Amino acid sequence: MGLGIIGWIIIGIVAGWLAEKVMGRSHGLVTNLIVGVVGALLGGWIAGQFLGMDVAGFNIMTLLVAFLGACLLLFLLGLVKRRA
């Protein structure tokens, strides 16, 4: 069972919000959504390529991978922002 667009939005908002709190950032709802969805894609790619995990569906593992991907994204963006 894959995620529909509503599932992506829900996972994205939750993962982006959690990552924002953990990383000590302050963004709005739309930014949290973008960070969460891009983080989910990044986390899913890393999980598939390096850990051999197939992350799909609407479950806690999907949220965890999206959250970790969003944290990684915010960390990398922070590094780039500091260098600029």
Side-chain angles (χ1 to χ4, degrees):
M1 181 171 131
L3 284 176
I5 189 69
I6 302 298
W8 276 100
I9 290 171
I10 293 169
I11 292 285
I13 289 171
V14 172
W17 180 80
L18 287 172
E20 171 187 80
K21 298 303 175 196
V22 168
M23 300 298 288
R25 307 287 169 83
S26 179
H27 302 116
L29 182 65
V30 174
T31 304
N32 285 345
L33 170 62
I34 294 168
V35 167
V37 170
V38 173
L41 293 172
L42 178 64
W45 181 79
I46 290 171
Q49 292 295 316
F50 300 107
L51 302 176
M53 294 173 56
D54 183 27
V55 182
F58 193 79
N59 54 43
I60 193 71
M61 184 55 79
T62 304
L63 180 59
L64 180 63
V65 167
F67 163 69
L68 293 173
C71 287
L72 178 61
L73 179 64
L74 288 176
F75 174 75
L76 294 174
L77 289 174
L79 288 178
V80 169
K81 195 173 183 180
R82 265 189 276 165
R83 294 187 107 209

